[in-house]
Amino acid sequence: MAFGKSKNRRRQDAAQQKEAVKGAVRTHGPGLLKAILLTGLTVALVWGGIELRRWALTSPTFLLKETTFSGLQRARPAELLKLSGLTVGQNLWTLDVGALERTMSTHPWVRTVEVRRHFPSSVSVEVTEHVPAALAVLGDLYLVNEEGEPFKRLQPGDSLDLPLVTGVDREGYLGDEGRTREQFRRALAVADAYAATQPPKRERLSEVRVSPEGMVLVTADGLEVRMGEGETDAKLERLARVRGELRARGLSAQVIHLDNRARPGWVAVKLSSPVSERSGASAQ
């Protein structure tokens, strides 16, 4: 009888274990199956990604065939390609766009550059160049852009008809670039205002001199116009009236003073001929 009871007990234990397993499967089975499926999917995605990357980096589909440029006036495509090392046959996925932009930006005419990849096989380069507005004497002659930034040493091939800004030396520029650029911007503003008056060719602006007393204009016919500070438009109007009066009288001036702080409306004229000198004349 004891043997029979032991055998029945084993059968009961086995039955209980089966029920426990079934319960565990019912309780944890869906989650376990989901985990197995997610693991398999992850493995498949990783493997697929590796294979996809290998294909993208080796497929002739993504080899560079064409590079287009826009915005170029002075810089040349061949120069920028040489600087960047960008060549036909490079894989578009391996191109370092940031590095390409940095190397192309070292070209003296390039102000900004943006490189874009166009899959599967082309690249576009959008360039903004410096716009030269004047020449400056900083040891050598430099081109200055509209923002007052000297950006390039003048080369023999740079055929540009631009006013010369003087009165700022190289040491001053290196010592305080911000202040010097502001001086250049002020000089360029006066030069632009003068150009807007549309002077005849012989009266076109040749030089803008930066001085402690203000801006001094020198025209192509040798006239020196001492502008002083401020009221640029009003002073240029007075200058036009004075020059018109001088032409009507058959006279020419060597120096015209528009910098009388005590009497801003007064104009003093030093004639280029020795016969007389007119000074203190009002041009109100």
Side-chain angles (χ1 to χ4, degrees), residues 17-235:
Q17 290 176 358
K18 288 181 180 180
E19 287 299 323
V21 171
K22 290 179 180 180
V25 170
R26 284 193 297 268
T27 303
H28 302 288
L32 181 61
L33 180 61
K34 184 178 180 180
I36 293 172
L37 289 174
L38 286 175
T39 300
L41 181 60
T42 301
V43 172
L45 288 175
V46 171
W47 180 83
I50 293 173
E51 289 301 312
L52 181 62
R53 183 176 184 276
R54 182 180 299 137
W55 172 76
L57 295 179
T58 57
S59 172
T61 303
F62 301 108
L63 296 183
L64 177 62
K65 296 178 182 177
E66 181 183 23
T67 302
T68 59
F69 290 84
S70 62
L72 296 183
Q73 297 293 328
R74 300 278 181 173
R76 297 289 176 262
E79 297 169 344
L80 299 182
L81 290 173
K82 183 177 180 181
L83 283 172
S84 65
L86 187 62
T87 59
V88 171
Q90 290 179 306
N91 186 282
L92 256 66
W93 290 103
T94 64
L95 294 181
D96 187 338
V97 172
L100 292 173
E101 292 174 345
R102 287 191 295 273
T103 53
M104 290 185 185
S105 294
T106 61
H107 192 286
W109 279 105
V110 173
R111 183 178 178 188
T112 64
V113 58
E114 184 174 0
V115 176
R116 293 190 181 96
R117 295 178 290 184
H118 301 279
F119 291 95
S121 58
S122 66
V123 166
S124 66
V125 182
E126 184 177 350
V127 175
T128 302
E129 292 189 350
H130 293 281
V131 178
L135 296 170
V137 182
L138 299 172
D140 295 317
L141 278 176
Y142 279 81
L143 294 172
V144 178
N145 66 19
E146 295 171 312
E147 287 71 39
E149 175 188 0
F151 66 91
K152 181 183 182 297
R153 183 182 284 109
L154 185 68
Q155 300 296 327
D158 297 332
S159 55
L160 298 166
D161 184 13
L162 298 171
L164 179 66
V165 178
T166 61
V168 179
D169 58 26
R170 182 178 180 84
E171 289 71 22
Y173 174 71
L174 295 177
D176 192 342
E177 292 187 15
R179 178 175 177 273
T180 303
R181 289 184 183 182
E182 176 58 28
Q183 289 177 318
F184 283 142
R185 284 193 290 268
R186 288 168 44 223
L188 292 174
V190 174
D192 289 343
Y194 184 84
T197 65
Q198 299 181 334
K201 186 175 181 179
R202 63 188 181 84
E203 296 179 6
R204 290 177 60 184
L205 190 62
S206 174
E207 177 186 347
V208 183
R209 187 183 310 142
V210 179
S211 75
E213 292 76 27
M215 299 296 167
V216 179
L217 307 183
V218 180
T219 62
D221 57 358
L223 172 66
E224 182 177 297
V225 182
R226 299 185 181 180
M227 296 286 293
E229 295 286 358
E231 299 183 345
T232 298
D233 292 338
K235 290 178 179 179

Side-chain angles (χ1 to χ4, degrees), residues 202-203 221 242-254 269-278:
R202 63 188 181 84
E203 296 179 6
D221 57 358
V242 169
R243 297 199 78 167
E245 183 180 340
L246 291 173
R247 283 193 296 269
R249 297 185 181 188
L251 301 174
S252 61
Q254 180 178 346
V269 179
K270 179 180 181 181
L271 298 176
S272 55
S273 59
V275 294
S276 63
E277 180 175 310
R278 177 183 174 198

